[in-house]
Amino acid sequence: MARAATTSDVFNAIAEPQRREILVLLRAGERPVTELAQELGMTQPGASKHLRVLREVGLVRVRGAGKQRLYGLDARGLRPVHEWAGGFERFWNESFDRLDAYVQDLKQAKQEE
Amino acid sequence: MARAATTSDVFNAIAEPQRREILVLLRAGERPVTELAQELGMTQPGASKHLRVLREVGLVRVRGAGKQRLYGLDARGLRPVHEWAGGFERFWNESFDRLDAYVQDLKQAKQEE
DNA sequence: TTGACGCATGCCGATATGGGCATACGATGG
DNA sequence: CCATCGTATGCCCATATCGGCATGCGTCAA
């Protein structure tokens, strides 16, 4: 078994830096493929492929506008991600009682790995 | 070029469902590898490998406790994820003026793809 | 109809992944 | 010093990824 299909999971979809960039760009409004490709310095087929993935996980929507296809953001799928990460908020705000112990331990003990 | 190395990026590290589960489990406190493996129904080597990845992106810390190695959460690395996703909050709360248009468009136009 | 434009796909190659298995490694106990 | 327990690693396989390139397909203009 190789890595899970990127196409079935939002977490996987946004694991790709370029796809994250696409999403960010789309916050400014819809755009045709070619424009996205240019702005991100990738080839048109490259952009199309990433957009396909984003489309399949529902983070992006397409709208045919004549010869063009305008891609637009649908960020709702990012909410679960935000919430999941948020579930750890108290752990990074905490004084890290135990964590501090780890750190000290690591410092005085011989380096881990 | 294949997919970016999972080991260099938190987004990639948490793209794996099992790794996400490990993080969640660790919220309850430190645990030795074997215990994690059991609780998640995976083999010990499997757990070790996932923990390695999590360690390399700094989401987890190890502490040698005698014969055992206790893994503990260090959620600080999840903050960027939370913030990144949060950057889209207004888009999923918004009434989606333009998005609504897309949706209607999609419905009446022949199915996309 | 034909051509041009915009985009999606197919195919190939190099690479990295995750899982299974066996085994090497480090620390503890006798 | 040796056996044992708890883990980490190495190796192999099947698979999926991303990128590049060429090409197919749909829409619009002449």
Side-chain angles (χ1 to χ4, degrees):
Chain A
M1 234 181 255
R3 184 184 277 190
T6 157
T7 194
S8 52
D9 180 4
V10 175
F11 282 89
N12 251 305
I14 64 171
E16 237 291 330
Q18 308 212 43
R19 282 195 290 258
R20 260 173 279 153
E21 292 184 53
I22 289 182
L23 293 176
V24 170
L25 261 183
L26 288 181
R27 281 195 302 211
E30 347 169 50
R31 282 206 185 53
V33 179
T34 307
E35 203 174 312
L36 284 171
Q38 270 190 294
E39 303 188 74
L40 295 177
M42 48 178 146
T43 64
Q44 174 269 307
S48 274
K49 284 173 187 173
H50 283 309
L51 285 166
R52 187 197 214 310
V53 173
L54 292 173
R55 225 163 58 213
E56 284 173 348
V57 298
L59 286 174
V60 141
R61 293 193 177 279
V62 217
R63 175 167 70 104
K67 257 192 288 197
Q68 295 187 164
R69 317 235 319 161
L70 265 41
Y71 279 88
L73 184 62
D74 181 353
R76 287 173 293 181
L78 290 178
R79 189 165 191 168
V81 175
H82 188 248
E83 286 171 354
W84 183 82
F88 292 84
E89 191 159 7
R90 55 169 285 228
F91 292 94
W92 70 61
N93 282 327
E94 217 169 50
S95 63
F96 282 94
D97 320 331
R98 264 168 321 194
L99 181 55
D100 287 336
Y102 296 174
V103 180
Q104 287 176 28
D105 207 84
L106 287 172
K107 281 183 182 165
Q108 60 183 194
K110 64 188 97 153
Q111 287 260 308
E112 192 46 62
E113 95 182 61
Chain B
M1 232 181 258
R3 183 184 279 188
T6 157
T7 191
S8 52
D9 181 4
V10 175
F11 282 89
N12 252 305
I14 64 171
E16 237 291 331
Q18 309 211 46
R19 281 195 290 260
R20 260 173 281 154
E21 292 184 54
I22 290 183
L23 293 176
V24 170
L25 262 184
L26 289 181
R27 281 196 301 213
E30 348 170 47
R31 281 206 186 53
V33 179
T34 307
E35 202 174 313
L36 285 170
Q38 270 191 295
E39 303 189 75
L40 295 176
M42 47 178 149
T43 64
Q44 173 270 309
S48 275
K49 284 173 186 171
H50 283 309
L51 286 166
R52 188 196 214 306
V53 174
L54 293 173
R55 225 163 58 211
E56 283 172 350
V57 298
L59 286 174
V60 141
R61 294 194 176 280
V62 217
R63 176 168 70 104
K67 257 192 285 195
Q68 295 188 164
R69 317 234 322 160
L70 264 40
Y71 279 87
L73 184 62
D74 181 353
R76 286 173 295 181
L78 289 178
R79 190 165 190 168
V81 175
H82 188 248
E83 285 170 354
W84 183 81
F88 292 84
E89 190 158 9
R90 54 169 287 227
F91 292 93
W92 70 62
N93 281 326
E94 217 169 50
S95 63
F96 283 93
D97 319 331
R98 264 168 320 196
L99 182 56
D100 286 338
Y102 297 174
V103 180
Q104 286 177 29
D105 207 85
L106 287 172
K107 281 183 181 167
Q108 62 183 194
K110 63 189 102 163
Q111 286 259 308
E112 192 49 61
E113 97 183 61

